[in-house]
Amino acid sequence: MPRDLKIPDQRHPEKAHRAETARVKKPDWIRVKAPSGEGYKATKDIMRQHNLVTVCEEAGCPNVGECWSQGHATMMIMGEICTRGCTFCNVATGRPDALDVFEPGRVADAVKKLGLNHVVITSVDRDDVDDGGAEHIAQTIRATRRQAPGTTIEVLTPDFLKCGPEALETVVAARPDVFNHNLETVPGLYPEVRPGARYFHSLRLLQRVKELDPTMFTKSGIMVGLGEDRQAVHQVMDDMRAADVDFITIGQYLQPTSRHHAVDRYITPEEFASYEKAARGKGFLMVSATPLTRSSYHAGEDFAQLKAARDAKYG
């Protein structure tokens, strides 16, 4: 009998044994409107027509209504099932299907039909594939370049933890405009929050992108409200800057189900403003730090500001 990914215990079998935790009521500054409107429907129709998965839906992003109403959607390639079991994530886990060789073309066609100035292409982790899906990501970048040459491309990649160095080299060689890989949380919380990953491997991955192509923008993000303290967040900022990361995103963690990692607390807008000020002081070209910040939220506008900031800094 096939899995029903709408049922939490089948969507997240690795979390079925976890104790349930009470979900803390969201404060007023987290509330968003339910998705609606013609723009939202049109974007959803294009995604369905091209049989595409979006991280907007799979991860339960709170900004889906706003982004889709403007025709912006973040494509999630290589299937809807991830080989990792991060305790914060709402993407389904398990054994994925084989890679779909026609997917890069469908993504490119959807980008063209949406008329996007900037697209974010992310993916599940594919530890079952020798190169972690690097060639598939590169093919999607190249197909999008052919179909929509005026669209700038941002990739949000896995960590390629179980691959050789050529996996990252394959993606960088395809020349996305922005290479994004999220650290997700502070290193002390990795064993609980991101057990299948390694903090310093992810940090080194970002550093290597700049070594391979110093002109490529790099970006990374973390969630707060998982149980970290302020000092640890500042240390992550310093680590990112040591790896020459250009753009940091900091957003509030929201608990998808009662069996996911519990929200430790809701960070106030004032605290986010303080994080933004600190990050700018540490030398990031671009900072987005708000309760609703997500990796691809306002990515197109942010990319334009990122370019302008580099031009202003280096001339």
Side-chain angles (χ1 to χ4, degrees):
M1 193 170 160
R3 289 171 65 183
D4 184 346
L5 299 185
K6 292 184 174 64
I7 299 173
D9 282 358
Q10 293 189 35
R11 185 178 181 84
H12 303 291
E14 82 291 349
K15 294 180 178 68
H17 69 281
R18 288 174 61 92
E20 293 194 59
T21 57
R23 298 170 75 182
V24 183
K25 184 181 178 182
K26 295 174 186 173
D28 290 342
W29 63 79
I30 290 287
R31 310 286 169 91
V32 293
K33 292 181 180 178
S36 63
E38 288 303 311
Y40 173 84
K41 183 178 182 301
T43 301
K44 187 173 184 176
D45 288 347
I46 289 174
M47 295 301 105
R48 296 294 177 270
Q49 289 162 13
H50 290 77
N51 192 29
L52 296 174
V53 178
T54 68
V55 75
C56 320
E57 294 174 290
E58 297 303 314
C61 179
N63 304 314
V64 63
E66 178 186 344
C67 294
W68 282 29
S69 68
Q70 298 170 12
H72 300 159
T74 298
M75 317 290 179
M76 189 171 81
I77 61 175
M78 302 199 288
E80 59 185 334
I81 298 175
C82 185
T83 54
R84 303 279 175 91
C86 300
T87 61
F88 66 86
C89 185
N90 199 38
V91 174
T93 56
R95 183 182 293 276
D97 296 328
L99 294 176
D100 179 354
V101 296
F102 299 107
E103 184 178 53
R106 294 202 309 275
V107 169
D109 193 46
V111 171
K112 182 179 179 180
K113 286 183 177 175
L114 286 166
L116 299 180
N117 293 321
H118 185 82
V119 64
V120 181
I121 300 168
T122 187
S123 75
V124 292
D125 274 283
R126 292 298 302 254
D127 293 323
D128 59 315
V129 180
D130 287 344
D131 71 348
E135 179 57 33
H136 194 86
I137 296 170
Q139 288 175 3
T140 306
I141 295 168
R142 291 192 291 265
T144 304
R145 286 264 185 256
R146 287 192 296 270
Q147 287 269 55
T151 301
T152 49
I153 299 171
E154 179 173 328
V155 290
L156 174 52
T157 77
D159 59 11
F160 305 119
L161 181 62
K162 301 180 180 180
C163 311
E166 63 278 0
L168 178 64
E169 292 162 11
T170 295
V171 177
V172 174
R175 293 198 53 78
D177 296 281
V178 180
F179 186 102
N180 186 354
H181 173 66
N182 285 332
L183 295 182
E184 305 291 9
T185 187
V186 302
L189 289 176
Y190 262 56
E192 165 60 23
V193 174
R194 207 175 172 221
R198 300 293 178 268
Y199 177 80
F200 287 104
H201 171 86
S202 286
L203 195 63
R204 175 66 181 138
L205 188 85
L206 290 158
Q207 186 179 41
R208 281 195 65 230
V209 173
K210 284 291 193 183
E211 293 171 358
L212 292 166
D213 186 346
T215 67
M216 190 171 289
F217 287 112
T218 51
K219 178 176 175 181
S220 188
I222 61 168
M223 299 167 289
V224 288
L226 286 156
E228 73 294 323
D229 61 26
R230 185 174 183 82
Q231 183 179 0
V233 173
H234 279 254
Q235 184 61 58
V236 171
M237 292 181 193
D238 289 337
D239 291 344
M240 285 189 190
R241 286 304 301 133
D244 204 16
V245 171
D246 298 304
F247 184 175
I248 184 173
T249 60
I250 306 173
Q252 172 69 52
Y253 167 63
L254 299 176
Q255 185 179 1
T257 74
S258 60
R259 295 191 190 276
H260 281 74
H261 188 90
V263 173
D264 177 68
R265 71 186 186 95
Y266 288 105
I267 311 304
T268 66
E270 292 76 20
E271 288 176 278
F272 275 105
S274 177
Y275 279 141
E276 177 179 354
K277 182 178 180 180
R280 291 194 183 278
K282 291 176 186 292
F284 288 96
L285 287 178
M286 184 70 194
V287 181
S288 178
T290 71
L292 291 175
T293 288
R294 296 296 181 267
S295 287
S296 52
Y297 187 44
H298 293 167
E301 297 96 319
D302 288 345
F303 177 66
Q305 291 183 47
L306 190 61
K307 288 194 297 182
R310 182 163 71 180
D311 290 346
K313 184 173 181 178
Y314 298 110

